[in-house]
């Protein structure tokens, strides 16, 4: 090492960047400003590498659906948020055809008709948790009392994971998606979750039930899948299935409390179409997966007269695409009546969120029920006292003290 | 309007079914798209165009 500083890297904006103080719902202003200036630029990651960052909605969508772009985290040049060991999270980090083969093994229960059939169960879970909150002490932390239990109970039932183990899998999931833990800590969490799911798959091999882990165990029995592959898929589904939705419930509630006119519209309407529209708009506006989609180029790709070379890393920060005025007029305004369905909060291309029908239905039930059953719901702290997950791969709040 | 779908490319996101339930459905075994109506009527045209625009892998082709 000579100790000289690479002048190009020094001038390159850092990514991820910090949000502005007092604007907890908006993407970092420095990243938003990049979109206004350019379609393609280099950014600097914590490890010193300088991958490309694609700023606009249209370019991001096109690239996410482009077969010349790879999700394979083991390829050199992949701009991983943290050092990786192997491929811990199954097909989310793979390319087709392997990705498609594995993904199709778990898509059946997420079909729209199957998810709709679960709606009464989710409604009951939501109603029961609200009953418990209303009967309990005030103020209460909405995250622990409501936002985390709803999707955790639902994904446990779908997968066939005992909900009694929720402290274990919630704690380890949190380590997995935290930005500020060491790679070693993250690997330990992955190993714990993998061992846990491996044990459950073993149990389902002997005693199959009507759940997704049993269907994976069945494929292991038939030799279509190895047991470690099945366990990795289980870890992916369990982690992705509860943290994201939980953050949308808590952060969505906070955003609505801070936009009382929008909250009133939602509370006073009994039109399911408005509730569905509010879900899409909150997904767009809040965009919680704020580390950007990460990819590496498999071939030279030209954008706006510049060339992303084969083997170079690409970051697609979907949060600023969802605030692109070309795609969404007046993008920084939360407006639950707009048609926001074309947002990229679930990504785009072959990796677009597998759980989105379920997440949508859960959020529709929650946003359509919580504020009607507790119409005087309000924050029990000042906004600047709320701890935000600036350090997590999934944005949200650690705690949300509320009362009524 | 004439609609075709590419089942090989489909990733079972369900977007088309939500957008136009009368035209698209999903296979029971893996959620892959099934075309119910290749010649949807004029009043469904807007929903079908939306489905095609929402499909994350461009597996829905629409000829006007
Ligand atoms: C509001 C809640 C959710 C949000 C915002 C969200 C967001 C996302 C995003 C942005 C991706 C794309 C990753 C990429 O392109 O690299 C993704 C993929 C995925 N999500 Fe979700 N998700 C949510 C809920 C869920 C739920 C409830 C489940 C499962 C039950 C789930 C399971 C998955 C899986 C398995 C993938 C990987 C898909 C693939 O690689 O083919 N997600 N999610
Ligand atoms: S929208 Fe596209 S990917 Fe999703 S189910 Fe329909 S055809 Fe398949």
């Amino acid at each position: 090492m000579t100790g000289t500083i690479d002048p190009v890297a020094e001038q390159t904006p850092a990514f991820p960047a910090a949000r502005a103080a007092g604007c907890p719902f908006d993407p970092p202003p420095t990243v938003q400003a990049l979109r206004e200036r350019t379609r393609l630029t280099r950014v600097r990651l914590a490890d010193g590498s300088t991958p490309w960052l694609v700023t606009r909605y249209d370019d991001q969508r096109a690239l996410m659906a482009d077969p010349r772009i790879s999700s394979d985290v083991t390829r050199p040049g992949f701009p991983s948020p943290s050092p990786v060991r192997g491929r811990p999270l199954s097909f989310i980090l793979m390319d087709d055809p392997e990705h498609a083969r594995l993904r199709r093994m778990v898509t059946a229960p997420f079909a729209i008709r199957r998810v709709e059939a679960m709606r009464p169960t989710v409604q009951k879970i939501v109603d029961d948790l609200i009953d418990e909150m209303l009967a309990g002490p005030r103020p209460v932390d909405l995250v622990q009392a409501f936002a985390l239990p709803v999707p955790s109970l639902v994904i446990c039932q779908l997968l066939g994971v005992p909900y009694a183990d929720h402290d274990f899998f919630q704690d380890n999931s949190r380590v997995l998606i935290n930005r500020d833990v060491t790679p070693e800590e993250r690997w330990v969490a992955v190993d714990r979750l993998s061992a846990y799911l491996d044990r459950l798959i073993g149990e389902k091999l002997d005693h199959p039930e009507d759940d997704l882990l049993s269907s994976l165990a069945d494929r292991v029995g038939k030799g279509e899948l190895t047991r470690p592959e099945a366990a990795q898929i289980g870890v992916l589904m369990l982690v992705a299935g509860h943290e994201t939705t939980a953050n949308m419930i808590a952060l969505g509630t906070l955003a609505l409390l801070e936009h009382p006119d929008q909250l009133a519209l939602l509370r006073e309407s009994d039109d399911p179409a408005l509730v569905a529209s509010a879900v899409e708009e909150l997904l767009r506006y809040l965009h919680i997966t704020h580390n950007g989609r990460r990819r590496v180029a498999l071939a030279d790709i030209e954008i706006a007269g510049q060339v992303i070379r084969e083997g170079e890393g690409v970051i697609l920060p979907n949060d600023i695409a969802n605030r692109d005025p070309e795609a969404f007029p007046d993008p920084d305004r939360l407006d639950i009546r707009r048609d926001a369905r074309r947002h990229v909060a679930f990504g785009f291309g072959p990796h677009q969120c597998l759980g989105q029908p379920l997440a949508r239905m859960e959020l529709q039930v929650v946003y359509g029920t919580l504020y009607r059953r507790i119409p005087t719901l309000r924050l029990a702290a000042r906004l600047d006292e709320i701890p935000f997950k600036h350090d997590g791969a999934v944005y949200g709040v650690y705690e949300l003290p509320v009362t009524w | 309007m004439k609609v075709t779908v590419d089942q090989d490319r489909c990733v079972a996101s369900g977007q088309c079914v939500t957008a136009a339930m009368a035209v698209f459905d999903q296979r029971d075994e893996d959620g892959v798209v099934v075309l119910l109506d290749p010649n949807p009527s004029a009043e469904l045209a807007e929903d079908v165009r939306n489905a095609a625009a929402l499909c994350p892998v461009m597996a829905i082709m629409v000829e006007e």
Side-chain angles (χ1 to χ4, degrees):
Chain A
M1 279 300 284
T2 58
T4 50
I5 291 166
D6 176 352
V8 177
E10 269 304 287
Q11 287 159 21
T12 309
F15 187 88
R19 291 171 196 257
C23 302
F25 307 122
D26 293 333
T30 49
V31 186
Q32 289 258 64
L34 293 177
R35 188 198 56 232
E36 281 148 31
R37 228 174 41 228
T38 178
R39 284 167 62 190
L40 185 69
T41 182
R42 294 224 182 234
V43 290
R44 184 167 33 86
L45 304 190
D47 65 4
S49 63
T50 53
W52 294 101
L53 184 134
V54 181
T55 64
R56 308 232 167 123
Y57 174 89
D58 283 339
D59 291 333
Q60 286 196 13
R61 254 178 50 131
L63 265 189
M64 283 188 286
D66 193 320
R68 294 172 300 172
I69 211 88
S70 166
S71 286
D72 184 348
V73 72
T74 64
R75 279 183 183 273
F78 190 94
S80 180
S82 72
V84 278
R85 187 195 54 177
R87 216 161 12 184
L89 281 181
S90 190
F91 56 82
I92 196 169
L93 302 175
M94 295 179 187
D95 292 334
D96 288 341
E98 198 51 10
H99 159 264
R101 185 179 80 88
L102 296 177
R103 176 170 167 132
R104 280 193 181 183
M105 291 186 180
V106 285
T107 38
F110 298 95
I112 301 297
R113 270 186 291 121
R114 294 273 299 272
V115 167
E116 276 310 310
M118 288 176 71
R119 192 182 282 267
T121 310
V122 174
Q123 184 70 54
K124 169 114 181 36
I125 288 172
V126 166
D127 284 334
D128 290 351
L129 285 166
I130 294 174
D131 287 342
E132 271 174 49
M133 275 202 301
L134 287 171
R138 278 172 289 178
V140 65
D141 173 16
L142 193 79
V143 174
Q144 292 301 328
F146 186 73
L148 259 177
V150 171
S152 300
L153 281 158
V154 173
I155 197 68
C156 279
Q157 199 170 73
L158 195 148
L159 285 177
V161 168
Y163 182 68
D165 297 337
H166 66 92
D167 282 337
F168 166 78
F169 68 73
Q170 286 168 355
D171 289 349
N172 283 289
S173 301
R174 218 167 296 142
V175 175
L176 197 65
I177 63 168
N178 226 311
R179 274 183 191 167
D180 289 352
V181 299
T182 65
E184 290 75 20
E185 286 171 307
R186 193 170 289 118
W187 298 338
V188 169
V190 174
D191 287 346
R192 287 206 188 114
L193 286 166
S194 304
Y196 173 69
L197 275 141
D198 180 75
R199 184 165 59 71
L200 285 178
I201 299 224
E203 286 169 18
K204 308 278 181 186
L205 267 168
D206 299 332
H207 307 286
E209 286 168 272
D210 183 17
D211 53 45
L212 192 58
L213 288 186
S214 296
S215 79
L216 289 176
D218 182 53
R219 289 182 193 269
V220 172
K222 288 181 184 145
E224 295 172 23
L225 202 60
T226 67
R227 199 157 145 175
E229 280 176 329
Q232 281 185 352
I233 295 177
V235 173
L236 170 62
M237 306 295 293
L238 184 58
V239 175
H242 77 275
E243 262 289 333
T244 43
T245 313
N247 283 304
M248 274 306 299
I249 293 173
L251 192 65
T253 299
L254 178 59
L256 287 166
L257 290 172
E258 292 295 309
H259 293 81
D261 57 321
Q262 299 293 305
L263 178 55
L265 272 176
L266 185 59
R267 191 173 41 218
E268 278 144 34
S269 160
D270 47 20
D271 178 6
L274 182 71
V275 176
S277 162
V279 169
E280 301 311 314
E281 173 65 349
L282 283 159
L283 284 162
R284 178 195 75 84
Y285 180 74
L286 297 172
H287 194 91
I288 55 173
T289 55
H290 66 162
N291 264 355
R293 310 271 59 73
R294 307 289 175 113
R295 301 291 192 263
V296 59
L298 295 176
D300 292 357
I301 301 171
E302 198 191 312
I303 290 184
Q306 283 178 288
V307 180
I308 302 173
R309 297 276 170 213
E310 177 188 347
E312 289 185 328
V314 185
I315 295 181
L316 307 129
N318 292 166
D319 52 350
I320 62 166
N322 278 337
R323 299 295 187 98
D324 185 339
E326 301 276 320
F328 304 99
D330 200 0
D332 296 327
R333 199 159 68 90
L334 176 70
D335 174 6
I336 64 167
R337 284 176 296 189
R338 80 161 85 216
D339 183 357
R341 282 180 295 176
R342 291 181 58 185
H343 66 72
V344 281
F346 290 121
F348 201 69
H351 290 274
Q352 193 182 55
C353 182
L354 171 82
Q356 59 179 307
L358 180 65
R360 284 203 164 93
M361 184 270 279
E362 290 182 56
L363 293 174
Q364 287 165 7
V365 172
V366 165
Y367 296 155
T369 307
L370 180 62
Y371 321 119
R372 293 164 70 87
R373 288 214 42 208
I374 317 184
T376 57
L377 188 77
R378 63 177 197 278
L379 271 188
R382 290 198 321 270
L383 185 63
D384 61 8
E385 293 169 335
I386 306 290
F388 287 92
K389 295 184 178 176
H390 293 292
D391 53 345
V394 183
Y395 188 60
V397 292
Y398 284 105
E399 252 176 72
L400 192 67
V402 293
T403 191
W404 49 87
Chain B
M1 165 181 276
K2 189 172 168 341
V3 183
T4 48
V5 296
D6 182 343
Q7 290 185 320
D8 291 336
R9 226 189 292 168
C10 171
V11 293
S13 70
Q15 303 264 32
C16 55
V17 181
T18 306
M21 197 138 325
V23 180
F24 305 99
D25 196 3
Q26 289 168 286
R27 289 201 299 234
D28 286 337
E29 65 271 27
D30 56 10
V32 165
V33 63
V34 176
L35 186 59
L36 298 176
D37 181 359
N39 300 106
S41 60
E43 58 273 20
L44 292 171
E46 196 48 41
D47 289 347
V48 172
R49 270 181 228 119
N50 248 319
L54 288 169
C55 177
V57 288
M58 280 72 89
I60 298 170
M61 279 68 66
V62 177
E63 268 176 64
E64 297 285 342

